[in-house]
Amino acid sequence: MAKSPADGATLFSPFRMGKFQLSHRVVLAPMTRCRAINGIPQPALAEYYSQRSTNGGFLITEGTMISPTSAGFPHVPGIYNGEQVEAWKKVVQAVHAKGAIIFCQLWHVGRASHEVFWENESQLVYQPGGGAPISSTNNPITGRWRILMPDGSNARYPVPRALKTSEIPEVVEHYRQAALNAISAGFDGIEIHGAHGYLIDQFLKDGINDRTDEYGGSLSNRCKFLVQVVQAVAAAIGPDRVGVRVSPAIDHLEARDSNPRSLGLAVIEKLNNLQFDWGSKLAYLHVTQPRYTAYGQTESGRQGSEEEEAELMRTWRRAYHGTFICSGGFTRELGMDAVAVGDTDLVSYGRYFISNPDLVLRLKVNAPLNRYVRAYFYTHDPVKGYTDYPFLNEASDKKHQPLSRL
């Protein structure tokens, strides 16, 4: 249930997120950055996450592969083998050295992958053996969407293969084992990525899910895969180390639903029931604002919250029994307002955190922000557009002019 607005609460007020005491409410959102060469976190990742760490701050990693077939971008990190776990330990240690808390986002892109298996300049990506990506459906992503290939080109998404009912438990097991691996790497918890048109969302949304088995049709059936993943992961590492991300109103990668409000409430009811049965709460529910589609993917969308969208988020906020995180197109003012009126507990920031490693300080003192360079979002350089954005106390860099005062 939504809490009453805390008197004087701001983005910089402390907050108790289950077992974790946070010193402020500005969260690093999970963002794909493509710097983990061949799926292995590199030293640059330790520097990147450490730069964005604050004492008592909360970070969520980029989407991290749970299996060899789960990637949808080149050079994204994995958490399914020993080498990856060992590499992540150094990243987590760097973050913990700053006093911050970090969760690993568990990711399977489903049909948002490609059937290619390239071995070119040591690049091993996408589907081993050239098999079709898995999904809830046999229908591909169409229209304007394209997948980023290892050589930097963009290709059409291939036809996926709908999982057989008998195959789904194996995918659930991949999530469970990935969660255990994350804890072995030292992470404080994990976030299940159930949003933005990726595998779990492909089961949730009726615009994609055309199954006729126990995982399709009714709202309850479409929620079943997510529920099974949450149950398996929570049983493995404890509910208080598990966050869930969903985006009922987002049509990213053609993930549309005919009734986003009802879908969101159905997911929340399932999560609330699980928490009641466990006698323990999840770490949080992370929900993407509808304006993410309009603004988060371009430079030109609006930067405000229309009342209809705000009320939709409030409906979900009021329904969920636990810590609530909002993301998607937040400015300083929007974040401050959302916390002040009780619309959310925490606010996750993405693009602004890319170009402002000290974003928490900049927001707190209302300082100008460095301009982010979108062209470097998904490149593989360990420095350029990744760890070279200046801190507030550093000399101005002509390559990163202030974007605005927020």
Side-chain angles (χ1 to χ4, degrees):
M1 293 179 289
K3 302 173 185 175
S4 300
D7 292 339
T10 75
L11 283 173
F12 316 106
S13 302
F15 182 78
R16 186 81 183 179
M17 184 181 77
K19 66 192 298 181
F20 304 104
Q21 181 62 50
L22 308 182
S23 63
H24 59 81
R25 304 178 187 223
V26 179
V27 178
L28 172 67
M31 293 173 288
T32 298
R33 300 307 315 274
C34 299
R35 264 72 174 190
I37 305 304
N38 298 326
I40 307 299
Q42 304 295 305
L45 274 75
E47 182 176 0
Y48 174 81
Y49 285 107
S50 176
Q51 285 179 339
R52 287 152 184 80
S53 298
T54 53
N55 188 30
F58 180 44
L59 294 76
I60 309 170
T61 72
E62 60 212 277
T64 303
M65 296 182 291
I66 64 168
S67 70
T69 64
S70 59
F73 285 81
H75 299 307
V76 292
I79 193 71
Y80 58 82
N81 67 36
E83 185 179 6
Q84 294 162 346
V85 170
E86 289 302 310
W88 272 120
K89 286 181 180 180
K90 299 172 184 176
V91 179
V92 174
Q93 289 166 2
V95 171
H96 284 167
K98 293 286 190 71
I101 296 150
I102 184 168
F103 276 32
C104 180
Q105 189 190 65
L106 304 186
W107 190 33
H108 195 306
V109 303
R111 70 175 185 168
S113 183
H114 202 282
E115 59 201 358
V116 302
F117 178 64
W118 286 6
E119 186 167 0
N120 178 30
E121 297 180 357
S122 300
Q123 297 182 26
L124 305 177
V125 297
Y126 307 144
Q127 301 302 313
I134 61 172
S135 182
S136 64
T137 181
N138 291 316
N139 295 320
I141 299 169
T142 61
R144 67 185 179 92
W145 300 100
R146 296 291 186 273
I147 186 169
L148 178 65
M149 302 300 281
D151 63 354
S153 65
N154 293 288
R156 295 182 66 86
Y157 285 97
V159 175
R161 178 181 67 83
L163 282 164
K164 298 176 183 177
T165 306
S166 61
E167 294 177 309
I168 293 177
E170 180 180 5
V171 182
V172 174
E173 171 60 19
H174 289 160
Y175 279 98
R176 188 191 76 86
Q177 186 59 54
L180 288 170
N181 291 348
I183 298 303
S184 294
F187 282 103
D188 300 292
I190 64 92
E191 178 178 281
I192 296 168
H193 195 346
H196 302 169
Y198 298 118
L199 182 59
I200 292 174
D201 208 23
Q202 291 161 27
F203 277 81
L204 292 173
K205 301 285 180 65
D206 62 11
I208 298 175
N209 188 336
D210 56 0
R211 303 177 72 91
T212 57
D213 64 0
E214 65 205 73
Y215 293 91
S218 68
L219 271 172
S220 182
N221 284 1
R222 286 186 277 124
C223 291
K224 186 173 183 177
F225 179 46
L226 171 61
V227 169
Q228 289 178 334
V229 171
V230 174
Q231 288 175 314
V233 169
I237 67 172
D240 57 356
R241 293 187 182 275
V242 179
V244 176
R245 191 175 198 187
V246 294
S247 57
I250 303 303
D251 63 359
H252 187 248
L253 297 173
E254 298 182 345
R256 302 182 184 90
D257 193 82
S258 62
N259 193 331
R261 180 181 184 277
S262 294
L263 174 59
L265 289 173
V267 168
I268 288 169
E269 181 182 18
K270 296 290 186 183
L271 297 181
N272 284 342
N273 288 341
L274 288 177
Q275 294 180 140
F276 179 81
D277 292 342
W278 295 326
S280 177
K281 290 185 178 181
L282 294 163
Y284 59 83
L285 176 64
H286 189 180
V287 182
T288 310
Q289 289 268 15
R291 65 172 172 261
Y292 167 89
T293 299
Y295 184 64
Q297 300 300 298
T298 68
E299 306 299 332
S300 59
R302 68 175 184 278
Q303 257 196 90
S305 173
E306 292 186 346
E307 185 57 34
E308 183 178 350
E309 294 177 354
E311 185 53 39
L312 183 63
M313 294 294 288
R314 291 184 190 118
T315 297
W316 296 329
R317 158 69 158 162
R318 288 192 294 264
Y320 181 62
H321 300 169
T323 297
F324 197 82
I325 305 178
C326 282
S327 64
F330 277 94
T331 61
R332 181 183 191 275
E333 284 78 10
L334 289 171
M336 292 286 281
D337 290 346
V339 170
V341 302
D343 283 352
T344 192
D345 296 308
L346 309 171
V347 179
S348 68
Y349 287 83
R351 292 162 293 112
Y352 292 146
F353 241 133
I354 287 177
S355 55
N356 297 274
D358 54 352
L359 181 66
V360 178
L361 173 62
R362 288 175 184 263
L363 294 180
K364 189 171 185 178
V365 302
N366 199 18
L369 302 184
N370 298 321
R371 184 184 298 276
Y372 54 84
V373 183
R374 187 176 290 272
Y376 297 132
F377 281 6
Y378 307 121
T379 57
H380 315 313
D381 192 301
V383 176
K384 188 71 171 178
Y386 192 56
T387 58
D388 63 341
Y389 285 103
F391 289 77
L392 188 60
N393 61 354
E394 294 176 348
S396 298
D397 185 338
K398 294 180 180 179
K399 295 181 181 178
H400 301 294
Q401 295 299 321
L403 174 65
S404 63
R405 183 176 292 275
L406 299 179

